[in-house]
Amino acid sequence: PAQPVVYFASQDDASVFNLYLADADNPGTSVQLNPPLPTGRSIRFFNTTPDKSRVVYAADPDTADKVELYTVELAKPGVAIKLNPQNTSANFDVDEFSLSPDSSQLIYAADQDTAGVREIYLVDFATPGVTTKLNAPQSPTGDVSSNFQFSQDGTQVLYGSDTDSNAQFEIFLVDKSVPGVAVKASAPFANFTNSFITKHFSPDGNWIVYAADHDIDEVYEMYVVATSNPGVATKLNPPFNGDSDIGTFRLTPDSLNVVYSADQDTDGIAELYTVPIAAPGTSTKLNPAMVAGGNVRTDFLLSNDSSFVLYRADQDIDEKTELYQVTLLAPGIATRLNADMIAAGDVFGYEFRSDNLAVIYLADKTTDTEQELFQVVLTNPAVSTRVHPALAGNDARAFLYATDGSRITYTAEQDTAGVFELYTTDVTSLGSSTRVSSPLVAGGEVGVIQIP
């Protein structure tokens, strides 16, 4: 399809969730992607490749509770290929994978060679079953941690591991062309240090930013390392007081700044800051003063042009979470984006349109605990349009913009209370929508959705 949607649903059997491919231009014609699963088996997690060509999923179709990795081309529904080698170990399980930016390869984590030892393997879609272990040799108690990732050019992989000291996770960098030869990217950890909590490549691949308790035990701060000089780290945040900690951070798409949440100024109060990579220690608070008890949530998003941030916070009224926009060049001046809500209303989630000119958000705007979807154009803040018609049930749930921003696809109990189905609406005709998913069996529902 020109506008493919992959979704997870109990469409044909209320007790079994399968993967389906829907065509937003031809509603009601979805097809099952994965082959039929034996009774009692299930798909555990999945993702679509960036080039819209295939879906990758983890499941146990061959041996009960032995999770392996499979791929199906969207053009060949029902034809699955196993990606990991045939493995007879009873302990073998794939529990995570990461796709390469060019959609040709993936890395997955499994105890493939040693039972109970989690390592990472590279497999090319052109040669399924042929894998290469990427991480350096592990100690008997060592494991690779979650959230390993490719560099943007796909040549390097960043991963965490307690290779040198059990339960002390450090950060390593390995070049795909030299598998098994990893260099430590993080600076040396002190004896008291527990581990890092998160890490990211910069979009241009020149930097690695991570948070760890390097200097004070259990006080997590943020550090930057040049990929050309691994092991030499510079602290990005200014000195912390007391029990302050980094919450979440993201690098701007231009790789010049890091935006992060932290209780930097007041212990236990998370706020939003930015720091230039070129000027470590000189952070600027982005949000204005908040009401007593207010906190910035950790799911903030950055614009594609690196100019502004969207964030959720109970900034104006304690315990009332709303959606705000702040420009990096005008810190302390935030605009509320959501329309007025009832006293008990909250914004629960949101997503940018690809042009960064509009956002959809999920909120119980008019009735407490009944969540609906709204779009707001950023040039007209606090004025929203409901995405869908009135719902038969209480809630909308999952939602995504099409890659070109022309449609919104979402799940909701729109036609039947208690039954979540898949719908699409054109952004030029919000309030009317078409059901995309095929008819569901009694008791069936649509769960997770993805637009490649």
Side-chain angles (χ1 to χ4, degrees), residues 390-418:
L391 303 178
N394 291 335
D395 296 316
R397 187 181 285 168
F399 52 94
L400 291 169
Y401 276 111
T403 51
D404 64 1
S406 64
R407 295 175 188 261
I408 297 169
T409 301
Y410 62 93
T411 64
E413 44 187 329
Q414 181 167 306
D415 293 331
T416 307

Side-chain angles (χ1 to χ4, degrees), residues 185-188 207-212 214-215 221-227 229-238 258 275-282:
S186 50
W207 308 100
I208 297 164
V209 178
Y210 67 94
H214 261 310
D215 299 327
E221 301 182 275
M222 192 166 55
Y223 301 82
V224 62
V225 174
T227 50
N229 193 22
V232 179
T234 300
K235 186 187 295 185
L236 280 172
N237 56 271
V258 180
V275 58
I277 287 179
T282 57

